[in-house]
Amino acid sequence: MVLATRGLAGATVYDGRMPVTAPAHAADARSMADTVGCGDAFLAGFTVSLLRDGWSRSSPPSRLSLERALRQGAQSAHDQCFVEAAFGHGRPTATPGPAALRRPMRRTMPLHHGPAS
């Protein structure tokens, strides 16, 4: 099985028999907190959906299962856009909106990683 996520263009999965494509869930960029982790969230939602439908090596998914998994993956990725996720500081934004974009960036790692001078 091959899965390609394409951001706003949606995602396509090919299981060796048929390609299945689904759109992304639209989100207003001004209300998003962070896109870190969206790909991981997509893959998690996609995989859990297939497993719930009984997917295994001996039981390949149906077209309906693949479509459902793509939709769940897209929803999971969309939901992740509203969580500050960079460098392990994940926390849901209290009110998604433009204020999330105006927060100052915090430096969480030193800029110099070599020996102290």
Side-chain angles (χ1 to χ4, degrees):
M1 185 178 303
V2 177
L3 173 65
T5 58
R6 300 173 292 133
L8 294 175
T12 300
V13 63
Y14 179 71
D15 68 350
R17 299 172 298 161
M18 65 190 128
V20 180
T21 300
H25 283 257
D28 181 0
R30 294 171 297 175
S31 65
M32 293 181 354
D34 198 341
T35 58
V36 171
C38 290
D40 295 332
F42 183 99
L43 187 56
F46 177 84
T47 303
V48 167
S49 179
L50 285 180
L51 291 171
R52 283 184 178 155
D53 277 354
W55 173 52
S56 69
R57 285 187 180 200
S58 61
S59 178
S62 67
R63 181 176 185 89
L64 179 61
S65 288
L66 291 173
E67 290 170 351
R68 188 175 15 248
L70 287 171
R71 284 193 306 272
Q72 181 57 56
Q75 183 64 54
S76 297
H78 173 270
D79 294 347
Q80 179 61 32
C81 289
F82 302 98
V83 176
E84 290 179 342
F87 300 108
H89 293 286
R91 70 175 189 262
T93 57
T95 307
L101 298 175
R102 291 193 297 267
R103 281 194 293 273
M105 291 187 66
R106 296 167 291 181
R107 186 175 358 170
T108 58
M109 299 178 72
L111 296 177
H112 177 70
H113 298 287
S117 40

